[in-house]
PDB file of all heavy atoms in Angstrom:
ATOM      1  N   ASP A 411       8.481   5.311   1.395  1.00  0.00           N
ATOM      2  CA  ASP A 411       8.803   5.171   2.748  1.00  0.00           C
ATOM      3  C   ASP A 411       8.682   6.538   3.513  1.00  0.00           C
ATOM      4  O   ASP A 411       8.402   7.562   2.826  1.00  0.00           O
ATOM      5  CB  ASP A 411      10.200   4.610   3.011  1.00  0.00           C
ATOM      6  CG  ASP A 411      11.344   5.367   2.376  1.00  0.00           C
ATOM      7  OD1 ASP A 411      11.184   6.617   2.285  1.00  0.00           O
ATOM      8  OD2 ASP A 411      12.291   4.817   2.087  1.00  0.00           O
ATOM      9  N   VAL A 412       8.979   6.573   4.756  1.00  0.00           N
ATOM     10  CA  VAL A 412       8.735   7.855   5.564  1.00  0.00           C
ATOM     11  C   VAL A 412       9.655   8.976   5.102  1.00  0.00           C
ATOM     12  O   VAL A 412       9.265  10.105   5.040  1.00  0.00           O
ATOM     13  CB  VAL A 412       8.965   7.559   7.064  1.00  0.00           C
ATOM     14  CG1 VAL A 412       8.963   8.901   7.874  1.00  0.00           C
ATOM     15  CG2 VAL A 412       7.927   6.594   7.594  1.00  0.00           C
ATOM     16  N   ARG A 413      10.908   8.506   4.790  1.00  0.00           N
ATOM     17  CA  ARG A 413      11.807   9.581   4.288  1.00  0.00           C
ATOM     18  C   ARG A 413      11.280  10.272   2.997  1.00  0.00           C
ATOM     19  O   ARG A 413      11.321  11.517   2.940  1.00  0.00           O
ATOM     20  CB  ARG A 413      13.213   8.977   4.000  1.00  0.00           C
ATOM     21  CG  ARG A 413      14.229   9.877   3.430  1.00  0.00           C
ATOM     22  CD  ARG A 413      15.510   9.140   3.065  1.00  0.00           C
ATOM     23  NE  ARG A 413      15.218   8.185   1.930  1.00  0.00           N
ATOM     24  CZ  ARG A 413      15.148   8.503   0.663  1.00  0.00           C
ATOM     25  NH1 ARG A 413      15.289   9.802   0.273  1.00  0.00           N
ATOM     26  NH2 ARG A 413      14.960   7.591  -0.216  1.00  0.00           N
ATOM     27  N   ILE A 414      10.817   9.507   2.113  1.00  0.00           N
ATOM     28  CA  ILE A 414      10.238  10.123   0.814  1.00  0.00           C
ATOM     29  C   ILE A 414       8.972  10.885   1.098  1.00  0.00           C
ATOM     30  O   ILE A 414       8.881  12.027   0.593  1.00  0.00           O
ATOM     31  CB  ILE A 414       9.991   8.975  -0.186  1.00  0.00           C
ATOM     32  CG1 ILE A 414      11.289   8.230  -0.594  1.00  0.00           C
ATOM     33  CG2 ILE A 414       9.321   9.572  -1.436  1.00  0.00           C
ATOM     34  CD1 ILE A 414      11.109   7.071  -1.468  1.00  0.00           C
ATOM     35  N   THR A 415       8.049  10.288   1.860  1.00  0.00           N
ATOM     36  CA  THR A 415       6.831  11.030   2.075  1.00  0.00           C
ATOM     37  C   THR A 415       7.069  12.326   2.865  1.00  0.00           C
ATOM     38  O   THR A 415       6.397  13.322   2.537  1.00  0.00           O
ATOM     39  CB  THR A 415       5.811  10.162   2.864  1.00  0.00           C
ATOM     40  OG1 THR A 415       6.445   9.708   4.113  1.00  0.00           O
ATOM     41  CG2 THR A 415       5.362   8.992   2.120  1.00  0.00           C
ATOM     42  N   ASN A 416       7.994  12.348   3.814  1.00  0.00           N
ATOM     43  CA  ASN A 416       8.350  13.605   4.470  1.00  0.00           C
ATOM     44  C   ASN A 416       8.865  14.647   3.554  1.00  0.00           C
ATOM     45  O   ASN A 416       8.552  15.804   3.651  1.00  0.00           O
ATOM     46  CB  ASN A 416       9.269  13.282   5.619  1.00  0.00           C
ATOM     47  CG  ASN A 416       8.679  12.625   6.802  1.00  0.00           C
ATOM     48  OD1 ASN A 416       7.447  12.674   6.926  1.00  0.00           O
ATOM     49  ND2 ASN A 416       9.512  12.076   7.780  1.00  0.00           N
ATOM     50  N   TRP A 417       9.844  14.216   2.650  1.00  0.00           N
ATOM     51  CA  TRP A 417      10.396  15.127   1.644  1.00  0.00           C
ATOM     52  C   TRP A 417       9.298  15.759   0.793  1.00  0.00           C
ATOM     53  O   TRP A 417       9.261  16.946   0.641  1.00  0.00           O
ATOM     54  CB  TRP A 417      11.366  14.330   0.817  1.00  0.00           C
ATOM     55  CG  TRP A 417      12.306  15.225  -0.021  1.00  0.00           C
ATOM     56  CD1 TRP A 417      13.636  15.449   0.290  1.00  0.00           C
ATOM     57  CD2 TRP A 417      12.049  15.955  -1.208  1.00  0.00           C
ATOM     58  NE1 TRP A 417      14.226  16.226  -0.696  1.00  0.00           N
ATOM     59  CE2 TRP A 417      13.299  16.585  -1.636  1.00  0.00           C
ATOM     60  CE3 TRP A 417      10.909  16.151  -1.976  1.00  0.00           C
ATOM     61  CZ2 TRP A 417      13.366  17.364  -2.652  1.00  0.00           C
ATOM     62  CZ3 TRP A 417      11.051  17.029  -3.098  1.00  0.00           C
ATOM     63  CH2 TRP A 417      12.214  17.556  -3.443  1.00  0.00           C
ATOM     64  N   ILE A 418       8.361  14.910   0.294  1.00  0.00           N
ATOM     65  CA  ILE A 418       7.335  15.426  -0.618  1.00  0.00           C
ATOM     66  C   ILE A 418       6.344  16.330   0.238  1.00  0.00           C
ATOM     67  O   ILE A 418       5.917  17.327  -0.281  1.00  0.00           O
ATOM     68  CB  ILE A 418       6.628  14.240  -1.293  1.00  0.00           C
ATOM     69  CG1 ILE A 418       7.589  13.585  -2.272  1.00  0.00           C
ATOM     70  CG2 ILE A 418       5.380  14.769  -2.063  1.00  0.00           C
ATOM     71  CD1 ILE A 418       7.085  12.257  -2.884  1.00  0.00           C
ATOM     72  N   GLN A 419       6.035  15.833   1.415  1.00  0.00           N
ATOM     73  CA  GLN A 419       5.025  16.603   2.271  1.00  0.00           C
ATOM     74  C   GLN A 419       5.652  18.001   2.524  1.00  0.00           C
ATOM     75  O   GLN A 419       4.895  18.961   2.489  1.00  0.00           O
ATOM     76  CB  GLN A 419       4.829  15.835   3.508  1.00  0.00           C
ATOM     77  CG  GLN A 419       3.968  16.618   4.545  1.00  0.00           C
ATOM     78  CD  GLN A 419       3.738  15.707   5.755  1.00  0.00           C
ATOM     79  OE1 GLN A 419       2.868  14.808   5.783  1.00  0.00           O
ATOM     80  NE2 GLN A 419       4.559  15.945   6.782  1.00  0.00           N
ATOM     81  N   GLU A 420       6.897  18.134   2.853  1.00  0.00           N
ATOM     82  CA  GLU A 420       7.412  19.417   3.180  1.00  0.00           C
ATOM     83  C   GLU A 420       7.428  20.302   2.019  1.00  0.00           C
ATOM     84  O   GLU A 420       7.112  21.564   2.053  1.00  0.00           O
ATOM     85  CB  GLU A 420       8.858  19.224   3.757  1.00  0.00           C
ATOM     86  CG  GLU A 420       8.887  18.595   5.127  1.00  0.00           C
ATOM     87  CD  GLU A 420      10.325  18.419   5.622  1.00  0.00           C
ATOM     88  OE1 GLU A 420      11.300  18.903   4.959  1.00  0.00           O
ATOM     89  OE2 GLU A 420      10.477  17.709   6.681  1.00  0.00           O
ATOM     90  N   ALA A 421       7.778  19.714   0.870  1.00  0.00           N
ATOM     91  CA  ALA A 421       7.804  20.593  -0.338  1.00  0.00           C
ATOM     92  C   ALA A 421       6.424  21.033  -0.731  1.00  0.00           C
ATOM     93  O   ALA A 421       6.154  22.172  -1.132  1.00  0.00           O
ATOM     94  CB  ALA A 421       8.469  19.769  -1.527  1.00  0.00           C
ATOM     95  N   ALA A 422       5.407  20.084  -0.635  1.00  0.00           N
ATOM     96  CA  ALA A 422       4.040  20.426  -0.886  1.00  0.00           C
ATOM     97  C   ALA A 422       3.456  21.584   0.081  1.00  0.00           C
ATOM     98  O   ALA A 422       2.797  22.474  -0.394  1.00  0.00           O
ATOM     99  CB  ALA A 422       3.169  19.173  -0.809  1.00  0.00           C
TER     100      ALA A 422
END
Side-chain angles (χ1 to χ4, degrees):
D411 61 27
V412 174
R413 178 187 62 81
I414 297 174
T415 55
N416 283 344
W417 196 104
I418 294 173
Q419 176 178 277
E420 289 178 9

